[in-house]
Amino acid sequence: MKLKNKLYLTQLFIILTFTLFLWVLYTNFKKHSQNDLEQELTKSININKLLLTSALEDTYTTFNQKKNMITHIHRAALDEFKKDKNISLAHLKNKIRSHFNFQFIDIDLFLIDKNYVIIDGTFKKDIGLDFKKIPDGKMDLDKASKDNEIHIAKKVAIDYMDSAFKMYSCARVNDEIYLEMAFIDPTSYNTLRTRIENISKHTKNKINLFRIRSTSSNEEYYEDILNTKSISNKKEWNDALKKFPLNRVTENKIILTKRQNSILRANEYENEGIVNIYIPLLSKENAPSLGYNNFVMKLEIDISDHMAQWKENENIFVLVGLTLIILMLLLYFFIKYNFYIPITTITQDFEDEVKINDEALLRKKDEFGILADKYNKLYSKLQDQIEKNQHLLDENKQFIADMVHQIRTPLSVIMTNSSLIEMKTKEQVSPYITQINSAINMLSNSYEDLSYIITHDTMEYKVTKIDFTDFLHERIDFFEVIADANHKTISTDIANNIHITMNDTELERLIDNNLSNAIKHSSDKSEIKIVLERIKSEIILQFISEGKNIADISKLFDKNYTEANTAKRSLGLGLNMVKTICEKNNIYYNADSEDHINTFTYIFKV
């Protein structure tokens, strides 16, 4: 991995480490803050629950202590009514009040028909109320219908019509009429409200108190104990209450709190700094002395101070985060300009093999500046040496080119005069002439190889259309003398009328090197086979000879590679030159050696 990448990875690791640390710190702090809030809420719930439960129990206990006189008062009213059934209930009420001299209590009287409906009463708002829809009232009337006793309700009622606690009693007058009396404590209700207001003021929480009641139709509804609305008719008000069937699931928090008998929390206003909590109170299970009363307290707890404190803490974390980002950016630019850019500049100039010209880098007094300066000095020395070597190379190439030119003329003279001697001498000297011609052809082939090697990268070899069939025959004829001198024969299987487009010099080098190698490395008195054929859009040229297996085919076309197991000396340039020509002309090349048969295959695309 490059050093610049290691620097960036190190920086990234530092950033991630600090970010993770800050996130863990923030998460833990938030968790502790949430735990503190939950503890405060629990404390507030417990205090309010204790105070409110105590207020309710005190109120109910005080009222229950006055129940002893209910039977005596009701009996007196019942006797008076039986004496004079035409007496008005208002007159009967006044008569009873005068007789018992009420000071802190009061009564109301009601007539109920056989259908359990109030048909008359001193508290007009209750007229029309149907007790068949009120399970507790119906139960007391059912008892009264079977005897002549006075039945006192076990349940203290809160009447919103006149804001008072009431205890009801009933008795049968005859088969058609029941007399009901409401024993009223007008002060207890206001006392309870005052105590709740004081609790709310003391705990700084808004309190609502609800009582859950059931109907004879397996429904539930709740009443707001602290209700301040004006109610004109109890029947209409009772019918208008929203009912919740017991067999249906509801999302109403008040009903759910009663049903589950557990504390529920509603966070819909938490963003505004308010948490609503619903707490069950005085159920049958935890307050049997209060009978049917299932109360639910709703607390509106103000957590705005906590939210403000948390917001302030969040701002601190944001500030720390921004500070961290700024520090990371400063670190990034510090690393970039003091490490990354110098490293990149130096390595890029190294890769491009050019001199470092960045003035800011060269002016640095640190290790990068020293390295750049040292590199420039070494680069200058190296360039000087390269120029000297290039000059020597150019002189060497020029020398070789001059030598090639010098060889061409005497070689041509030798070849011409050798042909003349061969024609004019006797047959007995022809074997020697054959050996001379073979050596001349081999020298000519080497000359052409050398000429191509020193000119292929500077001279443009233009392509032309070539009659491949004739061209291959000509080259085979040229090498017949060499093959004959080496006691080898050349056989051919060359298809007619095959043409390709290629540079003739490069094609000649390809063919000549393969023929030369085949003659040089094949077994004595063996046959060399040349195949040229066309299959669809491909022209296939093969040189097949018998000899030792090739030791390492994978290196055969590499420059300067020669087979170590051959007695023939070689420069290792011929097949590498063939490889260069093939790659230049998009010619597929391959060598195969198996069972002492060596095959070189070349495929030309048409």
Side-chain angles (χ1 to χ4, degrees), residues 344-544:
T344 303
T345 302
I346 292 173
T347 54
Q348 188 60 49
D349 288 342
F350 281 3
E351 292 174 359
D352 296 341
E353 299 180 357
V354 296
K355 192 174 183 179
I356 297 174
N357 294 315
D358 191 320
E359 294 297 330
L361 178 58
L362 294 172
R363 286 197 300 269
K364 283 180 173 290
K365 302 300 181 182
D366 57 12
E367 289 81 353
F368 291 116
I370 296 172
L371 178 62
D373 182 64
K374 290 291 185 181
Y375 168 77
N376 280 349
K377 290 179 180 178
L378 291 173
Y379 180 83
S380 297
K381 290 181 180 179
L382 179 61
Q383 288 300 112
D384 291 342
Q385 193 65 39
I386 289 173
E387 289 181 6
K388 291 179 182 178
N389 291 340
Q390 186 63 45
H391 179 69
L392 292 174
L393 180 62
D394 292 341
E395 287 182 347
N396 188 41
K397 289 181 70 174
Q398 185 61 43
F399 171 76
I400 294 174
D402 291 342
M403 287 299 297
V404 168
H405 180 71
Q406 292 295 327
I407 292 172
R408 184 189 300 272
T409 301
L411 183 59
S412 299
V413 172
I414 292 172
M415 292 176 67
T416 301
N417 285 278
S418 174
S419 298
L420 292 174
I421 292 172
E422 186 177 7
M423 288 187 293
K424 293 183 178 182
T425 55
K426 296 179 179 180
E427 290 183 2
Q428 56 266 30
V429 297
S430 62
Y432 303 104
I433 295 299
T434 299
Q435 292 291 335
I436 292 172
N437 285 337
S438 172
I440 290 171
N441 286 352
M442 291 175 65
L443 180 61
S444 176
N445 181 57
S446 298
Y447 164 79
E448 295 297 339
D449 281 349
L450 181 61
S451 178
Y452 179 80
I453 288 173
I454 65 173
T455 60
H456 79 278
D457 55 350
T458 57
M459 181 181 295
E460 181 182 1
Y461 286 85
K462 295 182 179 181
V463 299
T464 183
K465 190 172 183 179
I466 302 173
D467 186 329
F468 204 165
T469 301
D470 292 343
F471 193 90
L472 184 57
H473 278 299
E474 290 176 4
R475 300 318 301 163
I476 292 172
D477 291 343
F478 178 80
F479 277 88
E480 285 282 4
V481 176
I482 302 175
D484 186 56
N486 285 273
H487 310 290
K488 298 171 186 179
T489 60
I490 299 176
S491 67
T492 62
D493 183 6
I494 301 174
N496 294 322
N497 198 26
I498 294 181
H499 296 80
I500 61 169
T501 300
M502 183 178 172
N503 179 263
D504 55 351
T505 300
E506 292 179 336
L507 181 59
E508 181 180 301
R509 293 297 90 224
L510 186 152
I511 295 171
D512 286 8
N513 271 280
N514 277 275
L515 285 170
S516 176
N517 284 339
I519 294 171
K520 184 187 300 183
H521 299 291
S522 59
S523 301
D524 290 341
K525 299 180 180 181
S526 63
E527 180 183 75
I528 300 168
K529 187 174 182 180
I530 313 298
V531 178
L532 179 64
E533 59 183 342
R534 178 169 182 163
I535 300 176
K536 295 183 179 179
S537 62
E538 295 180 341
I539 296 174
I540 301 173
L541 173 64
Q542 287 186 314
F543 299 87
I544 306 169

Side-chain angles (χ1 to χ4, degrees), residues 155-167:
K155 308 160 188 180
V156 177
I158 300 175
D159 198 329
Y160 307 104
M161 302 296 172
D162 53 2
S163 299
F165 280 93
K166 297 180 180 180
M167 179 69 74

Side-chain angles (χ1 to χ4, degrees), residues 206-230:
K206 183 178 178 180
I207 298 175
N208 290 92
L209 188 61
F210 303 94
R211 183 174 62 179
I212 316 299
R213 303 192 70 176
S214 301
T215 70
S216 58
S217 303
N218 290 323
E219 295 176 320
E220 290 180 315
Y221 65 91
Y222 58 86
E223 303 167 330
D224 188 350
I225 299 299
L226 306 180
N227 174 58
T228 57
K229 294 180 180 180
S230 176

Side-chain angles (χ1 to χ4, degrees), residues 24 45 64 126 307 315 337 373 419 463 471 479 570 581:
V24 171
I45 289 169
N64 282 332
D126 278 2
M307 297 289 288
N315 292 335
Y337 289 105
D373 182 64
S419 298
V463 299
F471 193 90
F479 277 88
S570 173
I581 293 171

Side-chain angles (χ1 to χ4, degrees), residues 167-190:
M167 179 69 74
Y168 289 91
S169 61
C170 65
R172 183 169 65 92
V173 178
N174 53 46
D175 292 339
E176 301 292 330
I177 296 294
Y178 297 87
L179 178 66
E180 182 184 53
M181 183 183 74
F183 184 77
I184 305 169
D185 183 350
T187 60
S188 296
Y189 182 79
N190 290 329

